[in-house]
């Protein structure tokens, strides 16, 4: 597995979402006497990958993954002391295409950096009912483009495949969804606050690629060119 020229490899991945403060996971919106908030608290993405080696140091990668983001929501009315809270999920699917550049660190250890684009798809809206309020997240588009960057390290065995640990930052082009936070006042008169969610996030990437044999003729041709 040391030379990846001509190798097409199938892999699986799990990516926990990290709600780091640096990436502004909390969004707050308000109107007179009423405040609403929605905060990314985590999530997980999982799916499959296909990687194809172009040269010894460059590969292309694609695949498909489902991502579930978790959000905490809150609505506060400062005139009567009402404070409602809850949690909700936002489900999407991602089809990334990235170019990877590898740097050899040891006999079987490689570091990679990657940059690419992703088509992000959202199957529907999400809603959460509170005692005296409601949160409604609706998609701005059923699909949108995003950019992603990745950094990681992998260990390549001879027969047992590739073990990978890294991190990915993903940022959609434009806002991912619009959120209406509604408080029901006296006689159920609604006070609605609207805000936008950009949808950026950071993940820890845990991947495993199955062992595949290289195309020996293509490897020999590539070595002669080097």
């Amino acid at each position: 597995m040391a030379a990846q020229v001509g190798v097409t490899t199938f892999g699986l991945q799990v990516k926990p979402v990290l709600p780091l403060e640096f990436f502004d996971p909390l969004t707050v919106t308000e109107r007179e006497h009423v405040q609403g908030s929605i905060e990314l608290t985590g999530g997980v993405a999982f799916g499959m990958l296909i990687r194809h080696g172009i040269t010894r140091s460059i590969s292309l990668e694609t695949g498909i993954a489902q991502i579930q983001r978790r959000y905490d929501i809150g609505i506060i009315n400062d005139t009567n002391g009402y404070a409602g809270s809850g949690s909700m999920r936002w489900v999407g699917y991602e089809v990334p295409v990235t170019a990877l550049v590898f740097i050899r660190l040891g006999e079987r250890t490689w570091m990679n950096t990657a940059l690419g684009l992703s088509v992000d798809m959202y199957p529907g809206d999400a809603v959460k009912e509170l005692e005296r309020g409601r949160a409604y997240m609706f998609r701005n588009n059923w699909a949108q483009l995003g950019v992603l960057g990745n950094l990681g390290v992998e260990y390549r065995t001879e027969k047992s495949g590739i073990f990978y640990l890294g991190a990915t930052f993903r940022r959609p082009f434009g806002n991912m969804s619009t959120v209406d936070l509604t408080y029901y006042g006296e006689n159920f008169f609604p006070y609605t606050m609207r805000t936008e969610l950009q949808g950026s996030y950071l993940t820890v990437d845990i991947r495993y690629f199955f062992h595949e044999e290289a195309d020996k003729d293509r490897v020999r041709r590539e070595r002669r060119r080097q």
Side-chain angles (χ1 to χ4, degrees), residues 72-209:
D72 281 351
I73 57 173
I75 298 176
I76 297 173
N77 186 322
D78 62 15
T79 61
N80 61 12
Y82 172 80
S85 63
S87 61
M88 61 193 308
R89 292 188 311 160
W90 180 256
V91 178
Y93 296 88
E94 303 168 340
V95 181
V97 178
T98 57
L100 295 84
V101 177
F102 291 94
I103 301 173
R104 193 166 192 169
L105 301 179
E107 183 180 355
R108 300 191 181 280
T109 307
W110 299 71
M111 182 178 73
N112 83 276
T113 59
L115 187 65
L117 297 174
S118 175
V119 179
D120 303 333
M121 294 168 286
Y122 309 111
D125 303 336
V127 63
K128 177 67 176 182
E129 299 288 346
L130 304 177
E131 181 184 359
R132 298 190 64 177
R134 185 180 75 162
Y136 195 101
M137 297 175 61
F138 53 91
R139 60 188 185 183
N140 290 344
N141 297 285
W142 73 270
Q144 69 177 151
L145 283 176
V147 63
L148 62 94
N150 169 271
L151 180 67
V153 176
E154 63 184 40
Y155 181 77
R156 301 176 182 175
T157 68
E158 283 197 24
K159 299 296 182 181
S160 300
I162 300 173
F163 299 88
Y164 177 96
L165 180 64
T168 297
F169 177 69
R170 183 185 298 269
R171 182 180 180 88
F173 294 130
N175 293 319
M176 176 186 71
S177 68
T178 300
V179 183
D180 282 351
L181 297 171
T182 302
Y183 169 74
Y184 298 113
E186 298 297 329
N187 300 318
F188 292 95
F189 183 80
Y191 295 83
T192 298
M193 300 157 286
R194 174 165 290 187
T195 188
E196 302 284 339
L197 286 184
Q198 209 278 334
S200 299
Y201 66 87
L202 179 72
T203 58
V204 174
D205 300 358
I206 303 168
R207 302 176 180 175
Y208 171 73
F209 290 91

